[in-house]
Amino acid sequence: MSGRDAILARIRARRLKSAPRPSPYSVPQSPGELVAQFAERARTVHAEVRLLHSVDEIATAVADLLRARNLPAIVHVPAQAPGLGGLTVLNTPPGPDDTALAIAPFAIAETGTLAYPAAADRPASWHFRAGFEIAVLRANDILPHLENVLARLKGALPHTVNLVSGPSRTGDIEQTLELGAHGPKALAILIVQE
């Protein structure tokens, strides 16, 4: 018997004969279940999630998020944003110390991921620039899986689809988790249930 065969025989001998089967994955059916699963998964990857009843609450929620982080009442938006009264809105690209607000066209409940297909009013680079990103998401745009998002794009894929799961992070340096490595150090998601 060769050395390779001996190693494989030892591995096969140690294999569990009756490993427990994982519980079946159940796909959330109702919009409420999708929102709950998305919020749970997004919080798991260090995103702050807030549920809002209507679009009228967005400005207040954004102001609260900025105040909690001792940030100025200034947000950078790539295009038209919902009413943000009381805040200074800039249409210039954000810098590393700025706050960016983006409308998320889709989200994936299975992984707690935001999906941003690039467009003229949603530049692909927007999600890598700011130190703090605030995403606004309609509850109806939370879909069960990535495949559902791709189906909604109807085969006309944009040049880029950014998938954002929590703030940017890396573990490359001394295997210590570092937030803000290649993008925002913090991510907040406002889910509008209207």
Side-chain angles (χ1 to χ4, degrees):
M1 177 183 296
S2 72
R4 178 181 184 272
D5 292 335
I7 291 170
L8 290 174
R10 279 185 278 174
I11 291 172
R12 288 185 185 111
R14 289 186 179 174
R15 223 184 314 179
L16 291 176
K17 302 294 181 203
S18 60
R21 296 188 65 74
S23 60
Y25 176 72
S26 61
V27 178
Q29 298 300 316
S30 73
E33 290 174 331
L34 288 171
V35 169
Q37 184 181 33
F38 172 81
E40 175 196 340
R41 303 280 164 88
R43 287 182 180 116
T44 302
V45 291
H46 306 290
E48 181 176 343
V49 180
R50 293 189 183 190
L51 302 177
L52 307 179
H53 294 291
S54 72
V55 231
D56 300 334
E57 299 176 31
I58 293 174
T60 303
V62 170
D64 287 346
L65 288 166
L66 294 173
R67 199 175 305 107
R69 289 169 176 74
N70 200 25
L71 293 170
I74 301 170
V75 291
H76 293 258
V77 295
Q80 289 290 67
L84 295 172
L87 299 170
T88 303
V89 177
L90 304 175
N91 294 113
T92 57
D97 297 324
D98 295 329
T99 300
L101 184 127
I103 307 300
F106 304 107
I108 304 163
E110 180 181 25
T111 57
T113 300
L114 298 167
Y116 293 102
D121 60 341
R122 285 188 312 270
S125 64
W126 204 261
H127 312 287
F128 302 104
R129 296 173 179 247
F132 178 39
E133 181 174 2
I134 301 172
V136 177
L137 170 68
R138 290 182 327 144
N140 293 339
D141 292 330
I142 299 175
L143 303 172
H145 306 288
L146 174 62
E147 293 83 2
N148 302 109
V149 171
L150 297 175
R152 284 265 183 106
L153 294 175
K154 296 185 171 95
L157 287 175
H159 63 280
T160 302
V161 177
N162 283 332
L163 300 174
V164 177
S165 297
S168 168
R169 72 199 76 186
T170 186
D172 293 346
I173 304 164
E174 296 181 11
Q175 297 191 354
T176 302
L177 182 64
E178 187 70 33
L179 295 178
H182 310 291
K185 291 179 181 173
L187 172 67
I189 303 168
L190 305 176
I191 301 174
V192 182
Q193 296 179 310
E194 178 178 82

